Amino acid sequence: MLTELSTEIIDHMLHNQYFGRIGCSADNRILIEPVMFFYDGLYIYGITRAGTKIDMVRKNPNVAFEIDEMISPGVWHSVLIEGEFEELHDELRDSALYLLKNRKVPVFANEKPGTLNQTSTETEKTVHPIVYRIHIKSKAGRSLKL
């Protein structure tokens, strides 16, 4: 049976998971990507790298964010958030980085993570983190138990 999750269960799931998916759209294109996150009760915080997702949310900051918890094939919970993406700078960025201390900017095997204020030479493949938060406009959750 499909049921709605309570606000308490939704918040519990958001506080206890750190891997979700962000959905964005711009220029007649839709993108869904996995991200690591931190939820502080008000915002979803994340750290990422420059790329297609960042290009898209800079054009259209309206995003969806989703997490799932699969207990068994017939029992799962899902949370969906609608919100607004915001890149963080200065003190807000520093505060978010403290919350995200165990999350790392994603890098490929031939890249290395850089610092926020580091500049790289053209020969280096250094990935510089972009810190963001999602202003939550709405939260909903569903559960299925067969």
Side-chain angles (χ1 to χ4, degrees), residues 23-62:
C24 53
S25 68
D27 300 328
N28 292 318
R29 184 172 178 198
I30 297 171
L31 180 69
I32 300 170
E33 285 196 354
V35 293
M36 288 188 288
F37 75 96
F38 181 87
Y39 174 65
D40 72 348
L42 297 174
Y43 301 98
I44 301 291
Y45 291 91
I47 188 167
T48 192
R49 58 188 288 149
T52 304
K53 171 177 66 240
I54 292 300
D55 292 342
M56 292 174 78
V57 296
R58 285 176 176 161
K59 292 176 183 176
N60 178 9
N62 297 305

Side-chain angles (χ1 to χ4, degrees), residues 56-70:
M56 292 174 78
V57 296
R58 285 176 176 161
K59 292 176 183 176
N60 178 9
N62 297 305
V63 297
F65 184 81
E66 190 257 348
I67 62 170
D68 294 307
E69 182 178 54
M70 184 78 152

Side-chain angles (χ1 to χ4, degrees), residues 109-123:
N110 64 342
E111 299 172 330
K112 68 177 188 172
T115 61
L116 290 167
N117 299 318
Q118 175 188 20
T119 57
S120 61
T121 65
E122 288 186 26
T123 58

Side-chain angles (χ1 to χ4, degrees), residues 25-146:
S25 68
D27 300 328
N28 292 318
R29 184 172 178 198
I30 297 171
L31 180 69
I32 300 170
E33 285 196 354
V35 293
M36 288 188 288
F37 75 96
F38 181 87
Y39 174 65
D40 72 348
L42 297 174
Y43 301 98
I44 301 291
Y45 291 91
I47 188 167
T48 192
R49 58 188 288 149
T52 304
K53 171 177 66 240
I54 292 300
D55 292 342
M56 292 174 78
V57 296
R58 285 176 176 161
K59 292 176 183 176
N60 178 9
N62 297 305
V63 297
F65 184 81
E66 190 257 348
I67 62 170
D68 294 307
E69 182 178 54
M70 184 78 152
I71 313 299
S72 69
V75 180
W76 54 258
H77 310 294
S78 184
V79 172
L80 181 62
I81 290 171
E82 291 182 55
E84 187 172 340
F85 184 95
E86 175 189 11
E87 279 185 60
L88 300 179
H89 305 281
D90 304 321
E91 295 85 21
L92 285 175
R93 179 195 65 203
D94 295 341
S95 297
L97 280 172
Y98 177 77
L99 298 173
L100 294 161
K101 61 184 172 260
N102 295 323
R103 278 57 165 193
K104 306 293 182 210
V105 63
V107 294
F108 290 108
N110 64 342
E111 299 172 330
K112 68 177 188 172
T115 61
L116 290 167
N117 299 318
Q118 175 188 20
T119 57
S120 61
T121 65
E122 288 186 26
T123 58
E124 292 179 319
K125 289 191 175 181
T126 304
V127 176
H128 300 283
I130 295 172
V131 181
Y132 66 90
R133 70 182 176 187
I134 297 172
H135 294 263
I136 297 171
K137 294 180 181 177
S138 69
K139 293 186 280 188
R142 296 216 172 138
S143 179
L144 177 71
K145 295 179 186 172
L146 296 178

